[in-house]
Amino acid sequence: MTSPPSPSGVNTPVHRAVEEAVEQVVPGGPVEAITPIEHGNRSETALVDRTGQPPVVVQLTSDPDAVTTEAVVLNAVADRTAVPVPSPLATATLNDNGVLVTEYVAGSNLHSQFVEHSIAEQRSLVRSFGQCLAALHSAFTFDGCGPVTAVDGQLTAAGQSPAEWQRAYGAAAFDRLPEPFEDLIEPLRSLLCGGQFSTDGADVTLFPWDFRPGNALVRDGELAAVLDWEEPLAAPAAVSAAKARYLVADWYVEDTEPLRDAFRAGYESVRPFPALTPADRAVAIADTAVDSRGVVTNPRYPALDYEDSVTVHRSALQAVLDDA
């Protein structure tokens, strides 16, 4: 997304709903163009260009409470950290849909741009991700693990203990693994039963579970915005660090150690890096290897095909089991 979209003649139900949301929630100049933005499976998102007004991003979801929570998270992240996020402009409930309007941030999606950067630039960007994650972990503390919601403008989380939550979260991730992973599932489950988590005395903090280059914009070689703060979770810092490292440092390259070192260095510039046990790592990788529908995710850019993607995830999980 490097510039506002050109005028569009699309007239779909989503298009009309977005246009109505803009007119009622952030009235201003007439809408010139509405361009859909791919944004996961949980909401409809579009970039809206208006005459005489800055462009805005409009997000529609069937859960009005979700956009309220996301707006509170965005404001809290901006207030407490230097992590770049788009500013929320308005929230509303319209035709039973939740509406979140945020500022438009210019930049290129880092997922498609990451491999175009030099090795030095890649390390710098990955270091920034580590630094941002550590800043989030330092800025947010919760009493229990689970979904984060906004209550009277304050963020709160459910009351599961770290070990209880992590075992349930890991079991759900392992249960989603499809047939090509079948021989690994029982050994992975054994880690949940007998392995150790980095949870004893661990701080429970914000878990941006989809913290990755595909949800980031880059401009002039630096992070311009971190996107997608839907359905936030509270979890032990180790789970969050392990998953983010896999998505950021391991996703695009075969030689992962230099980027892992950069991610850790960025994190440690803010706070100590969590000690990751095999159980922590296994849960993070399994949760990343398949999406919420059990569909295998595709590393690299351009993305690997199904068989090669399975090979990458299997190799990562097998390496964890070998270390256990």
Side-chain angles (χ1 to χ4, degrees), residues 165 168-177 188 207 209-210 233 239 243 246-247 251 280-292 294-295 297 313 317:
W165 178 87
Y169 192 77
F174 298 156
D175 288 345
R176 290 198 308 272
L177 291 172
L188 290 170
F207 175 17
W209 55 270
D210 210 13
L233 295 172
V239 180
K243 184 169 183 179
Y246 190 63
L247 283 166
W251 202 253
D280 297 322
R281 293 160 54 203
V283 169
I285 294 168
D287 187 49
T288 306
V290 294
D291 65 18
S292 60
V295 176
T297 55
H313 297 314
L317 289 169

PDB file of all heavy atoms in Angstrom, residues 165 168-177 188 207 209-210 233 239 243 246-247 251 280-292 294-295 297 313 317:
ATOM      1  N   TRP A 165      -2.922 -22.529  30.763  1.00  0.00           N
ATOM      2  CA  TRP A 165      -3.232 -21.952  29.457  1.00  0.00           C
ATOM      3  C   TRP A 165      -2.328 -22.538  28.374  1.00  0.00           C
ATOM      4  O   TRP A 165      -2.794 -22.905  27.293  1.00  0.00           O
ATOM      5  CB  TRP A 165      -3.061 -20.435  29.501  1.00  0.00           C
ATOM      6  CG  TRP A 165      -3.315 -19.798  28.164  1.00  0.00           C
ATOM      7  CD1 TRP A 165      -4.508 -19.397  27.655  1.00  0.00           C
ATOM      8  CD2 TRP A 165      -2.333 -19.532  27.148  1.00  0.00           C
ATOM      9  NE1 TRP A 165      -4.344 -18.891  26.389  1.00  0.00           N
ATOM     10  CE2 TRP A 165      -3.028 -18.964  26.059  1.00  0.00           C
ATOM     11  CE3 TRP A 165      -0.956 -19.720  27.065  1.00  0.00           C
ATOM     12  CZ2 TRP A 165      -2.370 -18.577  24.889  1.00  0.00           C
ATOM     13  CZ3 TRP A 165      -0.300 -19.342  25.900  1.00  0.00           C
ATOM     14  CH2 TRP A 165      -1.010 -18.771  24.824  1.00  0.00           C
ATOM     15  N   ALA A 168      -3.309 -26.070  27.299  1.00  0.00           N
ATOM     16  CA  ALA A 168      -4.536 -26.065  26.493  1.00  0.00           C
ATOM     17  C   ALA A 168      -4.264 -25.488  25.104  1.00  0.00           C
ATOM     18  O   ALA A 168      -4.747 -26.018  24.089  1.00  0.00           O
ATOM     19  CB  ALA A 168      -5.620 -25.269  27.205  1.00  0.00           C
ATOM     20  N   TYR A 169      -3.487 -24.410  25.050  1.00  0.00           N
ATOM     21  CA  TYR A 169      -3.161 -23.767  23.772  1.00  0.00           C
ATOM     22  C   TYR A 169      -2.339 -24.714  22.899  1.00  0.00           C
ATOM     23  O   TYR A 169      -2.588 -24.851  21.691  1.00  0.00           O
ATOM     24  CB  TYR A 169      -2.387 -22.485  24.049  1.00  0.00           C
ATOM     25  CG  TYR A 169      -2.223 -21.555  22.879  1.00  0.00           C
ATOM     26  CD1 TYR A 169      -3.274 -20.751  22.454  1.00  0.00           C
ATOM     27  CD2 TYR A 169      -1.006 -21.451  22.208  1.00  0.00           C
ATOM     28  CE1 TYR A 169      -3.120 -19.869  21.398  1.00  0.00           C
ATOM     29  CE2 TYR A 169      -0.841 -20.575  21.143  1.00  0.00           C
ATOM     30  CZ  TYR A 169      -1.902 -19.786  20.749  1.00  0.00           C
ATOM     31  OH  TYR A 169      -1.737 -18.923  19.685  1.00  0.00           O
ATOM     32  N   GLY A 170      -1.377 -25.391  23.506  1.00  0.00           N
ATOM     33  CA  GLY A 170      -0.553 -26.332  22.767  1.00  0.00           C
ATOM     34  C   GLY A 170      -1.332 -27.536  22.285  1.00  0.00           C
ATOM     35  O   GLY A 170      -1.170 -27.984  21.139  1.00  0.00           O
ATOM     36  N   ALA A 171      -2.209 -28.077  23.141  1.00  0.00           N
ATOM     37  CA  ALA A 171      -3.012 -29.228  22.738  1.00  0.00           C
ATOM     38  C   ALA A 171      -3.887 -28.893  21.543  1.00  0.00           C
ATOM     39  O   ALA A 171      -4.036 -29.696  20.613  1.00  0.00           O
ATOM     40  CB  ALA A 171      -3.866 -29.697  23.917  1.00  0.00           C
ATOM     41  N   ALA A 172      -4.470 -27.692  21.538  1.00  0.00           N
ATOM     42  CA  ALA A 172      -5.310 -27.271  20.414  1.00  0.00           C
ATOM     43  C   ALA A 172      -4.482 -27.163  19.132  1.00  0.00           C
ATOM     44  O   ALA A 172      -4.942 -27.550  18.047  1.00  0.00           O
ATOM     45  CB  ALA A 172      -5.977 -25.945  20.734  1.00  0.00           C
ATOM     46  N   ALA A 173      -3.255 -26.644  19.246  1.00  0.00           N
ATOM     47  CA  ALA A 173      -2.387 -26.524  18.074  1.00  0.00           C
ATOM     48  C   ALA A 173      -1.994 -27.898  17.539  1.00  0.00           C
ATOM     49  O   ALA A 173      -2.017 -28.135  16.323  1.00  0.00           O
ATOM     50  CB  ALA A 173      -1.139 -25.720  18.427  1.00  0.00           C
ATOM     51  N   PHE A 174      -1.653 -28.817  18.427  1.00  0.00           N
ATOM     52  CA  PHE A 174      -1.270 -30.163  17.984  1.00  0.00           C
ATOM     53  C   PHE A 174      -2.459 -30.890  17.361  1.00  0.00           C
ATOM     54  O   PHE A 174      -2.303 -31.640  16.397  1.00  0.00           O
ATOM     55  CB  PHE A 174      -0.707 -30.967  19.149  1.00  0.00           C
ATOM     56  CG  PHE A 174       0.552 -30.383  19.749  1.00  0.00           C
ATOM     57  CD1 PHE A 174       0.905 -30.674  21.057  1.00  0.00           C
ATOM     58  CD2 PHE A 174       1.384 -29.545  19.014  1.00  0.00           C
ATOM     59  CE1 PHE A 174       2.062 -30.149  21.621  1.00  0.00           C
ATOM     60  CE2 PHE A 174       2.538 -29.011  19.561  1.00  0.00           C
ATOM     61  CZ  PHE A 174       2.883 -29.310  20.878  1.00  0.00           C
ATOM     62  N   ASP A 175      -3.659 -30.678  17.913  1.00  0.00           N
ATOM     63  CA  ASP A 175      -4.851 -31.333  17.370  1.00  0.00           C
ATOM     64  C   ASP A 175      -5.182 -30.855  15.968  1.00  0.00           C
ATOM     65  O   ASP A 175      -5.841 -31.579  15.203  1.00  0.00           O
ATOM     66  CB  ASP A 175      -6.054 -31.086  18.291  1.00  0.00           C
ATOM     67  CG  ASP A 175      -5.978 -31.873  19.594  1.00  0.00           C
ATOM     68  OD1 ASP A 175      -5.152 -32.806  19.670  1.00  0.00           O
ATOM     69  OD2 ASP A 175      -6.721 -31.534  20.534  1.00  0.00           O
ATOM     70  N   ARG A 176      -4.754 -29.653  15.614  1.00  0.00           N
ATOM     71  CA  ARG A 176      -5.033 -29.122  14.272  1.00  0.00           C
ATOM     72  C   ARG A 176      -4.067 -29.661  13.220  1.00  0.00           C
ATOM     73  O   ARG A 176      -4.322 -29.514  12.020  1.00  0.00           O
ATOM     74  CB  ARG A 176      -4.963 -27.585  14.262  1.00  0.00           C
ATOM     75  CG  ARG A 176      -6.088 -26.900  14.989  1.00  0.00           C
ATOM     76  CD  ARG A 176      -6.199 -25.426  14.580  1.00  0.00           C
ATOM     77  NE  ARG A 176      -4.953 -24.696  14.691  1.00  0.00           N
ATOM     78  CZ  ARG A 176      -4.522 -24.085  15.782  1.00  0.00           C
ATOM     79  NH1 ARG A 176      -5.240 -24.157  16.899  1.00  0.00           N
ATOM     80  NH2 ARG A 176      -3.379 -23.415  15.791  1.00  0.00           N
ATOM     81  N   LEU A 177      -2.964 -30.245  13.634  1.00  0.00           N
ATOM     82  CA  LEU A 177      -1.976 -30.710  12.663  1.00  0.00           C
ATOM     83  C   LEU A 177      -2.585 -31.805  11.781  1.00  0.00           C
ATOM     84  O   LEU A 177      -3.151 -32.775  12.275  1.00  0.00           O
ATOM     85  CB  LEU A 177      -0.736 -31.260  13.382  1.00  0.00           C
ATOM     86  CG  LEU A 177       0.122 -30.226  14.112  1.00  0.00           C
ATOM     87  CD1 LEU A 177       1.195 -30.920  14.940  1.00  0.00           C
ATOM     88  CD2 LEU A 177       0.760 -29.244  13.129  1.00  0.00           C
ATOM     89  N   LEU A 188       4.895 -34.868  20.387  1.00  0.00           N
ATOM     90  CA  LEU A 188       4.646 -33.477  20.765  1.00  0.00           C
ATOM     91  C   LEU A 188       3.716 -33.406  21.971  1.00  0.00           C
ATOM     92  O   LEU A 188       3.929 -32.606  22.886  1.00  0.00           O
ATOM     93  CB  LEU A 188       4.032 -32.717  19.588  1.00  0.00           C
ATOM     94  CG  LEU A 188       4.966 -32.449  18.400  1.00  0.00           C
ATOM     95  CD1 LEU A 188       4.177 -31.920  17.208  1.00  0.00           C
ATOM     96  CD2 LEU A 188       6.077 -31.480  18.780  1.00  0.00           C
ATOM     97  N   PHE A 207       0.277 -10.834  24.066  1.00  0.00           N
ATOM     98  CA  PHE A 207       0.714 -11.806  23.067  1.00  0.00           C
ATOM     99  C   PHE A 207       0.115 -11.397  21.725  1.00  0.00           C
ATOM    100  O   PHE A 207      -1.006 -11.777  21.398  1.00  0.00           O
ATOM    101  CB  PHE A 207       0.253 -13.202  23.489  1.00  0.00           C
ATOM    102  CG  PHE A 207       0.535 -14.309  22.495  1.00  0.00           C
ATOM    103  CD1 PHE A 207       1.458 -14.173  21.466  1.00  0.00           C
ATOM    104  CD2 PHE A 207      -0.129 -15.521  22.621  1.00  0.00           C
ATOM    105  CE1 PHE A 207       1.716 -15.200  20.581  1.00  0.00           C
ATOM    106  CE2 PHE A 207       0.113 -16.568  21.735  1.00  0.00           C
ATOM    107  CZ  PHE A 207       1.024 -16.407  20.714  1.00  0.00           C
ATOM    108  N   TRP A 209      -0.356 -12.409  18.621  1.00  0.00           N
ATOM    109  CA  TRP A 209      -0.128 -13.764  18.107  1.00  0.00           C
ATOM    110  C   TRP A 209       0.126 -13.818  16.598  1.00  0.00           C
ATOM    111  O   TRP A 209       0.555 -14.843  16.085  1.00  0.00           O
ATOM    112  CB  TRP A 209      -1.302 -14.657  18.477  1.00  0.00           C
ATOM    113  CG  TRP A 209      -2.641 -14.143  18.025  1.00  0.00           C
ATOM    114  CD1 TRP A 209      -3.485 -13.322  18.720  1.00  0.00           C
ATOM    115  CD2 TRP A 209      -3.269 -14.401  16.783  1.00  0.00           C
ATOM    116  NE1 TRP A 209      -4.603 -13.048  17.970  1.00  0.00           N
ATOM    117  CE2 TRP A 209      -4.500 -13.697  16.779  1.00  0.00           C
ATOM    118  CE3 TRP A 209      -2.934 -15.155  15.658  1.00  0.00           C
ATOM    119  CZ2 TRP A 209      -5.381 -13.728  15.710  1.00  0.00           C
ATOM    120  CZ3 TRP A 209      -3.813 -15.178  14.576  1.00  0.00           C
ATOM    121  CH2 TRP A 209      -5.019 -14.484  14.620  1.00  0.00           C
ATOM    122  N   ASP A 210      -0.137 -12.727  15.874  1.00  0.00           N
ATOM    123  CA  ASP A 210       0.128 -12.705  14.437  1.00  0.00           C
ATOM    124  C   ASP A 210       1.148 -11.617  14.099  1.00  0.00           C
ATOM    125  O   ASP A 210       1.025 -10.895  13.115  1.00  0.00           O
ATOM    126  CB  ASP A 210      -1.182 -12.466  13.676  1.00  0.00           C
ATOM    127  CG  ASP A 210      -1.180 -13.110  12.294  1.00  0.00           C
ATOM    128  OD1 ASP A 210      -0.291 -13.936  12.026  1.00  0.00           O
ATOM    129  OD2 ASP A 210      -2.068 -12.804  11.490  1.00  0.00           O
ATOM    130  N   LEU A 233      -4.311 -11.601  22.908  1.00  0.00           N
ATOM    131  CA  LEU A 233      -4.219 -12.583  23.973  1.00  0.00           C
ATOM    132  C   LEU A 233      -3.225 -12.119  25.026  1.00  0.00           C
ATOM    133  O   LEU A 233      -2.322 -11.315  24.748  1.00  0.00           O
ATOM    134  CB  LEU A 233      -3.758 -13.939  23.422  1.00  0.00           C
ATOM    135  CG  LEU A 233      -4.687 -14.653  22.443  1.00  0.00           C
ATOM    136  CD1 LEU A 233      -3.982 -15.872  21.857  1.00  0.00           C
ATOM    137  CD2 LEU A 233      -5.982 -15.078  23.127  1.00  0.00           C
ATOM    138  N   VAL A 239       6.098 -17.805  25.137  1.00  0.00           N
ATOM    139  CA  VAL A 239       5.267 -18.267  24.022  1.00  0.00           C
ATOM    140  C   VAL A 239       5.282 -17.232  22.906  1.00  0.00           C
ATOM    141  O   VAL A 239       5.458 -17.551  21.731  1.00  0.00           O
ATOM    142  CB  VAL A 239       3.819 -18.519  24.493  1.00  0.00           C
ATOM    143  CG1 VAL A 239       2.962 -19.006  23.334  1.00  0.00           C
ATOM    144  CG2 VAL A 239       3.788 -19.516  25.624  1.00  0.00           C
ATOM    145  N   LYS A 243       7.004 -17.769  19.119  1.00  0.00           N
ATOM    146  CA  LYS A 243       6.210 -17.713  17.891  1.00  0.00           C
ATOM    147  C   LYS A 243       6.676 -16.577  16.992  1.00  0.00           C
ATOM    148  O   LYS A 243       6.806 -16.752  15.768  1.00  0.00           O
ATOM    149  CB  LYS A 243       4.725 -17.558  18.220  1.00  0.00           C
ATOM    150  CG  LYS A 243       3.854 -17.602  16.974  1.00  0.00           C
ATOM    151  CD  LYS A 243       2.384 -17.706  17.278  1.00  0.00           C
ATOM    152  CE  LYS A 243       1.588 -17.813  15.976  1.00  0.00           C
ATOM    153  NZ  LYS A 243       0.137 -17.946  16.196  1.00  0.00           N
ATOM    154  N   TYR A 246       9.832 -17.465  15.118  1.00  0.00           N
ATOM    155  CA  TYR A 246       9.599 -18.381  14.000  1.00  0.00           C
ATOM    156  C   TYR A 246       9.015 -17.631  12.797  1.00  0.00           C
ATOM    157  O   TYR A 246       9.427 -17.854  11.648  1.00  0.00           O
ATOM    158  CB  TYR A 246       8.657 -19.498  14.441  1.00  0.00           C
ATOM    159  CG  TYR A 246       8.533 -20.633  13.444  1.00  0.00           C
ATOM    160  CD1 TYR A 246       9.634 -21.419  13.120  1.00  0.00           C
ATOM    161  CD2 TYR A 246       7.326 -20.927  12.827  1.00  0.00           C
ATOM    162  CE1 TYR A 246       9.528 -22.467  12.209  1.00  0.00           C
ATOM    163  CE2 TYR A 246       7.205 -21.962  11.917  1.00  0.00           C
ATOM    164  CZ  TYR A 246       8.314 -22.734  11.616  1.00  0.00           C
ATOM    165  OH  TYR A 246       8.201 -23.771  10.698  1.00  0.00           O
ATOM    166  N   LEU A 247       8.079 -16.727  13.049  1.00  0.00           N
ATOM    167  CA  LEU A 247       7.430 -15.997  11.968  1.00  0.00           C
ATOM    168  C   LEU A 247       8.324 -14.929  11.344  1.00  0.00           C
ATOM    169  O   LEU A 247       8.165 -14.588  10.167  1.00  0.00           O
ATOM    170  CB  LEU A 247       6.154 -15.329  12.497  1.00  0.00           C
ATOM    171  CG  LEU A 247       4.941 -16.235  12.697  1.00  0.00           C
ATOM    172  CD1 LEU A 247       3.882 -15.529  13.535  1.00  0.00           C
ATOM    173  CD2 LEU A 247       4.360 -16.657  11.351  1.00  0.00           C
ATOM    174  N   TRP A 251      11.068 -17.544   8.800  1.00  0.00           N
ATOM    175  CA  TRP A 251      10.040 -17.710   7.771  1.00  0.00           C
ATOM    176  C   TRP A 251      10.558 -17.549   6.349  1.00  0.00           C
ATOM    177  O   TRP A 251      10.075 -18.218   5.429  1.00  0.00           O
ATOM    178  CB  TRP A 251       8.915 -16.701   8.024  1.00  0.00           C
ATOM    179  CG  TRP A 251       7.609 -17.080   7.404  1.00  0.00           C
ATOM    180  CD1 TRP A 251       7.014 -16.520   6.302  1.00  0.00           C
ATOM    181  CD2 TRP A 251       6.701 -18.091   7.858  1.00  0.00           C
ATOM    182  NE1 TRP A 251       5.795 -17.115   6.051  1.00  0.00           N
ATOM    183  CE2 TRP A 251       5.584 -18.083   6.996  1.00  0.00           C
ATOM    184  CE3 TRP A 251       6.738 -19.003   8.921  1.00  0.00           C
ATOM    185  CZ2 TRP A 251       4.511 -18.962   7.166  1.00  0.00           C
ATOM    186  CZ3 TRP A 251       5.661 -19.859   9.085  1.00  0.00           C
ATOM    187  CH2 TRP A 251       4.575 -19.845   8.221  1.00  0.00           C
ATOM    188  N   ASP A 280       8.022 -24.851  24.917  1.00  0.00           N
ATOM    189  CA  ASP A 280       7.664 -23.515  24.420  1.00  0.00           C
ATOM    190  C   ASP A 280       7.779 -23.456  22.900  1.00  0.00           C
ATOM    191  O   ASP A 280       6.882 -22.966  22.199  1.00  0.00           O
ATOM    192  CB  ASP A 280       8.603 -22.448  25.007  1.00  0.00           C
ATOM    193  CG  ASP A 280       8.519 -22.321  26.509  1.00  0.00           C
ATOM    194  OD1 ASP A 280       7.409 -22.432  27.049  1.00  0.00           O
ATOM    195  OD2 ASP A 280       9.575 -22.106  27.136  1.00  0.00           O
ATOM    196  N   ARG A 281       8.889 -23.948  22.392  1.00  0.00           N
ATOM    197  CA  ARG A 281       9.163 -23.872  20.955  1.00  0.00           C
ATOM    198  C   ARG A 281       8.194 -24.741  20.158  1.00  0.00           C
ATOM    199  O   ARG A 281       7.705 -24.343  19.094  1.00  0.00           O
ATOM    200  CB  ARG A 281      10.599 -24.285  20.680  1.00  0.00           C
ATOM    201  CG  ARG A 281      11.641 -23.311  21.231  1.00  0.00           C
ATOM    202  CD  ARG A 281      13.013 -23.974  21.376  1.00  0.00           C
ATOM    203  NE  ARG A 281      13.447 -24.592  20.130  1.00  0.00           N
ATOM    204  CZ  ARG A 281      14.352 -25.595  20.088  1.00  0.00           C
ATOM    205  NH1 ARG A 281      14.875 -26.075  21.214  1.00  0.00           N
ATOM    206  NH2 ARG A 281      14.702 -26.109  18.932  1.00  0.00           N
ATOM    207  N   ALA A 282       7.889 -25.932  20.671  1.00  0.00           N
ATOM    208  CA  ALA A 282       6.990 -26.844  19.956  1.00  0.00           C
ATOM    209  C   ALA A 282       5.597 -26.241  19.824  1.00  0.00           C
ATOM    210  O   ALA A 282       4.980 -26.307  18.751  1.00  0.00           O
ATOM    211  CB  ALA A 282       6.918 -28.179  20.684  1.00  0.00           C
ATOM    212  N   VAL A 283       5.095 -25.673  20.898  1.00  0.00           N
ATOM    213  CA  VAL A 283       3.776 -25.050  20.853  1.00  0.00           C
ATOM    214  C   VAL A 283       3.766 -23.903  19.838  1.00  0.00           C
ATOM    215  O   VAL A 283       2.838 -23.775  19.031  1.00  0.00           O
ATOM    216  CB  VAL A 283       3.364 -24.547  22.245  1.00  0.00           C
ATOM    217  CG1 VAL A 283       2.122 -23.658  22.159  1.00  0.00           C
ATOM    218  CG2 VAL A 283       3.102 -25.718  23.185  1.00  0.00           C
ATOM    219  N   ALA A 284       4.794 -23.078  19.855  1.00  0.00           N
ATOM    220  CA  ALA A 284       4.846 -21.926  18.951  1.00  0.00           C
ATOM    221  C   ALA A 284       4.895 -22.357  17.491  1.00  0.00           C
ATOM    222  O   ALA A 284       4.198 -21.793  16.641  1.00  0.00           O
ATOM    223  CB  ALA A 284       6.061 -21.059  19.287  1.00  0.00           C
ATOM    224  N   ILE A 285       5.706 -23.366  17.174  1.00  0.00           N
ATOM    225  CA  ILE A 285       5.843 -23.805  15.783  1.00  0.00           C
ATOM    226  C   ILE A 285       4.573 -24.494  15.307  1.00  0.00           C
ATOM    227  O   ILE A 285       4.084 -24.237  14.195  1.00  0.00           O
ATOM    228  CB  ILE A 285       7.061 -24.735  15.633  1.00  0.00           C
ATOM    229  CG1 ILE A 285       8.348 -23.955  15.914  1.00  0.00           C
ATOM    230  CG2 ILE A 285       7.109 -25.348  14.233  1.00  0.00           C
ATOM    231  CD1 ILE A 285       9.576 -24.831  16.079  1.00  0.00           C
ATOM    232  N   ALA A 286       4.007 -25.371  16.127  1.00  0.00           N
ATOM    233  CA  ALA A 286       2.780 -26.070  15.728  1.00  0.00           C
ATOM    234  C   ALA A 286       1.642 -25.091  15.517  1.00  0.00           C
ATOM    235  O   ALA A 286       0.847 -25.231  14.576  1.00  0.00           O
ATOM    236  CB  ALA A 286       2.407 -27.104  16.785  1.00  0.00           C
ATOM    237  N   ASP A 287       1.564 -24.081  16.371  1.00  0.00           N
ATOM    238  CA  ASP A 287       0.501 -23.082  16.245  1.00  0.00           C
ATOM    239  C   ASP A 287       0.670 -22.265  14.975  1.00  0.00           C
ATOM    240  O   ASP A 287      -0.306 -21.752  14.418  1.00  0.00           O
ATOM    241  CB  ASP A 287       0.510 -22.172  17.471  1.00  0.00           C
ATOM    242  CG  ASP A 287      -0.672 -21.223  17.495  1.00  0.00           C
ATOM    243  OD1 ASP A 287      -1.808 -21.690  17.298  1.00  0.00           O
ATOM    244  OD2 ASP A 287      -0.468 -20.019  17.723  1.00  0.00           O
ATOM    245  N   THR A 288       1.899 -22.156  14.495  1.00  0.00           N
ATOM    246  CA  THR A 288       2.192 -21.392  13.284  1.00  0.00           C
ATOM    247  C   THR A 288       2.055 -22.239  12.029  1.00  0.00           C
ATOM    248  O   THR A 288       1.699 -21.727  10.968  1.00  0.00           O
ATOM    249  CB  THR A 288       3.629 -20.828  13.365  1.00  0.00           C
ATOM    250  OG1 THR A 288       3.775 -20.088  14.566  1.00  0.00           O
ATOM    251  CG2 THR A 288       3.940 -19.935  12.175  1.00  0.00           C
ATOM    252  N   ALA A 289       2.311 -23.539  12.142  1.00  0.00           N
ATOM    253  CA  ALA A 289       2.346 -24.419  10.974  1.00  0.00           C
ATOM    254  C   ALA A 289       0.989 -24.582  10.305  1.00  0.00           C
ATOM    255  O   ALA A 289       0.916 -24.860   9.104  1.00  0.00           O
ATOM    256  CB  ALA A 289       2.893 -25.788  11.373  1.00  0.00           C
ATOM    257  N   VAL A 290      -0.092 -24.442  11.078  1.00  0.00           N
ATOM    258  CA  VAL A 290      -1.438 -24.518  10.515  1.00  0.00           C
ATOM    259  C   VAL A 290      -2.250 -23.330  11.020  1.00  0.00           C
ATOM    260  O   VAL A 290      -2.012 -22.832  12.122  1.00  0.00           O
ATOM    261  CB  VAL A 290      -2.151 -25.837  10.884  1.00  0.00           C
ATOM    262  CG1 VAL A 290      -1.455 -27.020  10.249  1.00  0.00           C
ATOM    263  CG2 VAL A 290      -2.216 -26.018  12.388  1.00  0.00           C
ATOM    264  N   ASP A 291      -3.195 -22.888  10.208  1.00  0.00           N
ATOM    265  CA  ASP A 291      -4.033 -21.777  10.646  1.00  0.00           C
ATOM    266  C   ASP A 291      -5.207 -22.299  11.471  1.00  0.00           C
ATOM    267  O   ASP A 291      -5.278 -23.494  11.788  1.00  0.00           O
ATOM    268  CB  ASP A 291      -4.493 -20.928   9.462  1.00  0.00           C
ATOM    269  CG  ASP A 291      -5.405 -21.671   8.495  1.00  0.00           C
ATOM    270  OD1 ASP A 291      -5.970 -22.724   8.860  1.00  0.00           O
ATOM    271  OD2 ASP A 291      -5.571 -21.183   7.346  1.00  0.00           O
ATOM    272  N   SER A 292      -6.136 -21.420  11.818  1.00  0.00           N
ATOM    273  CA  SER A 292      -7.240 -21.797  12.705  1.00  0.00           C
ATOM    274  C   SER A 292      -8.153 -22.847  12.088  1.00  0.00           C
ATOM    275  O   SER A 292      -8.908 -23.512  12.798  1.00  0.00           O
ATOM    276  CB  SER A 292      -8.056 -20.552  13.079  1.00  0.00           C
ATOM    277  OG  SER A 292      -8.587 -19.937  11.913  1.00  0.00           O
ATOM    278  N   GLY A 294      -6.895 -25.379  10.292  1.00  0.00           N
ATOM    279  CA  GLY A 294      -6.102 -26.576  10.074  1.00  0.00           C
ATOM    280  C   GLY A 294      -5.414 -26.616   8.728  1.00  0.00           C
ATOM    281  O   GLY A 294      -4.911 -27.667   8.314  1.00  0.00           O
ATOM    282  N   VAL A 295      -5.359 -25.488   8.020  1.00  0.00           N
ATOM    283  CA  VAL A 295      -4.703 -25.417   6.716  1.00  0.00           C
ATOM    284  C   VAL A 295      -3.225 -25.111   6.925  1.00  0.00           C
ATOM    285  O   VAL A 295      -2.865 -24.194   7.673  1.00  0.00           O
ATOM    286  CB  VAL A 295      -5.348 -24.330   5.833  1.00  0.00           C
ATOM    287  CG1 VAL A 295      -4.606 -24.193   4.511  1.00  0.00           C
ATOM    288  CG2 VAL A 295      -6.816 -24.654   5.596  1.00  0.00           C
ATOM    289  N   THR A 297       0.248 -23.574   6.619  1.00  0.00           N
ATOM    290  CA  THR A 297       0.709 -22.257   6.183  1.00  0.00           C
ATOM    291  C   THR A 297       1.950 -22.402   5.304  1.00  0.00           C
ATOM    292  O   THR A 297       2.646 -23.413   5.341  1.00  0.00           O
ATOM    293  CB  THR A 297       1.028 -21.376   7.388  1.00  0.00           C
ATOM    294  OG1 THR A 297       1.983 -22.050   8.238  1.00  0.00           O
ATOM    295  CG2 THR A 297      -0.230 -21.099   8.200  1.00  0.00           C
ATOM    296  N   HIS A 313       7.957 -27.078   8.158  1.00  0.00           N
ATOM    297  CA  HIS A 313       7.373 -27.157   9.497  1.00  0.00           C
ATOM    298  C   HIS A 313       7.752 -28.452  10.201  1.00  0.00           C
ATOM    299  O   HIS A 313       8.036 -28.456  11.408  1.00  0.00           O
ATOM    300  CB  HIS A 313       5.851 -27.026   9.414  1.00  0.00           C
ATOM    301  CG  HIS A 313       5.367 -25.718   8.883  1.00  0.00           C
ATOM    302  ND1 HIS A 313       5.876 -24.506   9.313  1.00  0.00           N
ATOM    303  CD2 HIS A 313       4.410 -25.416   7.959  1.00  0.00           C
ATOM    304  CE1 HIS A 313       5.255 -23.520   8.676  1.00  0.00           C
ATOM    305  NE2 HIS A 313       4.373 -24.042   7.859  1.00  0.00           N
ATOM    306  N   LEU A 317       9.756 -28.822  13.795  1.00  0.00           N
ATOM    307  CA  LEU A 317       9.220 -29.577  14.930  1.00  0.00           C
ATOM    308  C   LEU A 317      10.131 -30.744  15.306  1.00  0.00           C
ATOM    309  O   LEU A 317      10.343 -31.025  16.494  1.00  0.00           O
ATOM    310  CB  LEU A 317       7.820 -30.091  14.597  1.00  0.00           C
ATOM    311  CG  LEU A 317       6.723 -29.021  14.526  1.00  0.00           C
ATOM    312  CD1 LEU A 317       5.450 -29.602  13.919  1.00  0.00           C
ATOM    313  CD2 LEU A 317       6.454 -28.451  15.910  1.00  0.00           C
TER     314      LEU A 317
END
